[in-house]
Amino acid sequence: MTADSAAIHRCVTAAVARMSNEPGPLLEILHSVQGELGCVPAEAVPLIAEALNLSRAEVHGVVSFYHHFRERPAGQHTIQLCRAEACQAMKGDALAEFAKQRLQIGFGQTREDGKVTLEAVFCLGNCACAPSAMIDGQLRGRLDSEALADCVKSWGVPA
Ligand code: FES
């Protein structure tokens, strides 16, 4: 068992011990694992499945269904761009295209230099200030490409 494997095993075991008797514990366990490890690594899936008497496919299905869960750790910075209707209607599509071009990655990806992860989210509850994004955990409204470009530049992402 590698050091990473040991950490994953320990993290899953602790989360299962805390939450397996709760109703519908899978999501709670996944949140806990991601909170501690920064993602839900593939190696955690069979451990969680076995502990909850589920199939690996069921656990993997939940991890991949919810955009919130990551299978790999995020980069140093995270941009979660809202792709839901109100934001799309306020030039969100153009902003999404700009983000992908500027970062040279698609949604759900991390730049090769590890500086930024770009993720799609679906409504941040900030529709009145669309288009919205969560940037390093901070809610931003009325975001435009200039503000996004400034932000990315400040992180030292080469143009
Ligand atoms: S639709 Fe984007 S914040 Fe609600």
Side-chain angles (χ1 to χ4, degrees), residues 7-129:
I8 292 167
H9 205 278
R10 211 171 26 249
C11 175
V12 169
T13 302
V16 167
R18 280 197 311 276
M19 296 161 199
S20 61
N21 291 325
E22 304 283 322
L26 177 56
L27 285 174
E28 293 297 327
I29 290 169
L30 293 174
H31 280 292
S32 174
V33 169
Q34 180 157 302
E36 191 168 328
L37 302 176
C39 64
V40 181
E43 209 174 326
V45 169
L47 300 173
I48 296 168
E50 190 182 342
L52 297 183
N53 204 18
L54 298 170
S55 71
R56 292 174 185 205
E58 285 172 297
V59 176
H60 177 73
V62 171
V63 172
S64 52
F65 178 78
Y66 290 102
H67 293 267
H68 172 75
F69 295 120
R70 304 183 178 108
E71 296 184 47
R72 281 170 289 283
Q76 294 161 28
H77 301 280
T78 304
I79 298 174
Q80 296 176 306
L81 215 50
C82 179
R83 304 293 295 125
E85 264 177 39
C87 287
Q88 279 193 34
M90 296 298 285
K91 301 183 180 172
D93 285 341
L95 187 61
E97 279 312 306
F98 174 80
K100 290 194 285 186
Q101 292 263 331
R102 177 63 182 85
L103 296 169
Q104 301 194 324
I105 51 175
F107 285 107
Q109 296 180 337
T110 299
R111 282 177 53 87
E112 274 188 18
D113 60 13
K115 283 187 186 287
V116 188
T117 296
L118 179 64
E119 295 177 334
V121 291
F122 294 88
C123 196
L124 292 161
N126 196 40
C127 317
C129 297

